[in-house]
Amino acid sequence: MNRIKKIIFVIVGFISLLLGIIGTVLPILPTVPFLLLTSYCFAIGSNKFEVWFKSSKIYKKYLENFILNKSMTLKQKIYISTFADIMIAFPLIILDNLYIKLFLIIIIIFKYYYFIFKIKTIKV
């Protein structure tokens, strides 16, 4: 991969890290998806930043369990799912296209299936 793409991944990684950190304080932003994006971008963009991020407290607190054990707390699941539902509700309400609405409903159903049956729920 060329140097410019790696730089773009690192920049996007830091932007998503910032949004993830803000999400730890603001209940409007979901923390885990932004931190997952950070981890992905750093893994592609820079080994140095990937190692640094994986040794950080924010990674250990919010992502380590999910990455290693495919598990989340019930609170994390509810929070992420609710935020995703709110974001998907906007086009469901605004758009008139039946096919897009059906597609979004299928996404919601798949999301619930995945969260309930594929991600273990752990107690903290």
Side-chain angles (χ1 to χ4, degrees):
M1 185 179 316
N2 68 25
R3 186 169 163 78
I4 293 173
K5 284 185 181 178
K6 287 186 178 215
I7 291 170
I8 290 171
F9 273 105
V10 170
I11 291 169
V12 171
F14 275 109
I15 292 169
S16 64
L17 175 62
L18 178 64
L19 292 171
I21 291 170
I22 292 170
T24 63
V25 180
L26 284 176
I28 294 173
L29 288 175
T31 302
V32 174
F34 285 118
L35 296 180
L36 283 170
L37 179 60
T38 300
S39 184
Y40 175 78
C41 288
F42 285 168
I44 292 174
S46 167
N47 282 341
K48 184 174 110 176
F49 288 125
E50 179 186 18
V51 170
W52 166 77
F53 180 63
K54 287 185 175 181
S55 67
S56 70
K57 288 181 183 179
I58 196 163
Y59 176 86
K60 291 182 187 306
K61 182 176 181 182
Y62 292 98
L63 282 185
E64 193 169 54
N65 249 348
F66 179 74
I67 300 291
L68 296 176
N69 305 320
K70 210 71 150 145
S71 62
M72 293 178 151
T73 64
L74 182 60
K75 182 180 175 182
Q76 287 174 319
K77 283 182 168 185
I78 291 170
Y79 184 73
I80 292 169
S81 189
T82 302
F83 181 78
D85 287 344
I86 291 169
M87 291 292 111
I88 294 172
F90 287 116
L92 271 175
I93 294 168
I94 295 170
L95 297 176
D96 288 332
N97 188 317
L98 178 64
Y99 296 111
I100 293 176
K101 286 184 176 194
L102 288 173
F103 179 71
L104 292 173
I105 291 169
I106 290 169
I107 289 174
I108 292 170
I109 292 168
F110 178 78
K111 176 184 62 78
Y112 278 107
Y113 166 78
Y114 193 81
F115 269 63
I116 293 169
F117 297 109
K118 297 294 184 182
I119 300 174
K120 292 181 262 177
T121 304
I122 58 170
K123 295 181 183 179
V124 177

